[in-house]
Amino acid sequence: MRILSRTVGPFRENTYLVVDDMAGECAVVDPGDEGGDIIAMIASTGAALRAIWLTHAHLDHIGAISALRRKYGPIPVHLHALDQAVYASASFFADQYGVPFEQPDAPDAEFAHGDVARVGNLEFSVIHSPGHSPGHVMYYGNGVLIGGDVLFAGSIGRTDLPLADPAHMQETLSQLATLPLDTVVYPGHGEPTTVGEELASNPFLNGIANVKRNAN
């Protein structure tokens, strides 16, 4: 397995490419912007693009979907049902921020909690992780967590946005804290980290870390 990344767009969002070299297949997670750069990343692997997986539908995570579908055809776009409204309103918020944005066609596939995302021979568990958005999900497997905008190095995703929910974010963080400490977290913004590093040093996880330590 390889995970490649590009940081794209005015919001400096991380787009990831999950590659199974043995099978010659890949999936893109959160193609946020700069479709040409993402296409070049895919081409560099020699793998066939099989799917687009979304952690959530904020505009900085979906802006290159149309470019990818023009290049590769009707690649299935997977999104949790509870983020459909977020997806549909992305162009409105792009106008509010004054950033260029191409509203993609509606997603044509769904992921729900407990589903398995597959590309080649790789499998990732789909974890519903609301808080930053109602239908946010994370992809966990093979020692890594592709976490979207839940956990960052030293911080967490915003909960002051439309449809965000601070209480749900705390529940999501508590769930995330049960993962193995050496799990590598690939966030939607910023540098990779690990669950253990964030439990030890992230101020937003202090209370959760204490509960986890006491339970052990």
Side-chain angles (χ1 to χ4, degrees):
M1 180 186 74
R2 284 191 291 161
I3 296 182
L4 285 67
S5 68
R6 289 288 188 279
T7 302
V8 298
F11 297 98
R12 310 306 294 155
E13 180 266 350
N14 294 330
T15 293
Y16 294 104
L17 188 66
V18 180
V19 186
D20 182 342
D21 287 304
M22 294 292 291
E25 297 183 356
C26 64
V28 171
V29 185
D30 291 352
D33 202 349
E34 301 178 23
D37 285 350
I38 298 172
I39 289 168
M41 177 171 62
I42 296 167
S44 74
T45 69
L49 180 62
R50 296 301 188 204
I52 296 171
W53 302 342
L54 302 178
T55 61
H56 65 296
H58 285 152
L59 68 96
D60 55 327
H61 289 252
I62 67 173
I65 289 175
S66 294
L68 293 183
R69 289 183 127 187
R70 279 194 294 271
K71 172 68 175 179
Y72 298 104
I75 301 298
V77 177
H78 296 76
L79 178 69
H80 193 284
L82 292 179
D83 247 36
Q84 292 284 358
V86 179
Y87 191 101
S89 65
S91 60
F92 170 82
F93 287 102
D95 289 341
Q96 300 301 302
Y97 284 112
V99 297
F101 179 76
E102 182 178 2
Q103 179 71 44
D105 292 339
D108 49 9
E110 290 185 359
F111 275 146
H113 183 76
D115 285 348
V116 177
R118 295 181 175 87
V119 62
N121 297 309
L122 302 175
E123 295 186 348
F124 295 82
S125 297
V126 178
I127 302 172
H128 185 213
S129 47
H132 183 66
S133 73
H136 196 295
V137 301
M138 302 181 292
Y139 301 101
Y140 172 65
N142 307 283
V144 307
L145 180 76
I146 304 176
D149 288 2
V150 170
L151 181 66
F152 305 136
S155 189
I156 61 173
R158 291 177 60 178
T159 57
D160 59 343
L161 300 172
L163 301 180
D165 188 310
H168 286 165
M169 176 63 88
Q170 286 303 306
E171 293 171 3
T172 289
L173 293 172
S174 295
Q175 182 180 21
L176 186 153
T178 66
L179 298 177
L181 298 181
D182 60 354
T183 301
V184 178
V185 179
Y186 291 99
H189 303 270
E191 296 299 316
T193 183
T194 67
V195 169
E197 288 172 1
E198 297 313 305
L199 284 172
S201 63
N202 190 320
F204 294 94
L205 272 64
N206 278 347
I208 294 171
N210 289 335
V211 170
K212 184 178 177 67
R213 280 193 290 268
N214 291 337
N216 292 335

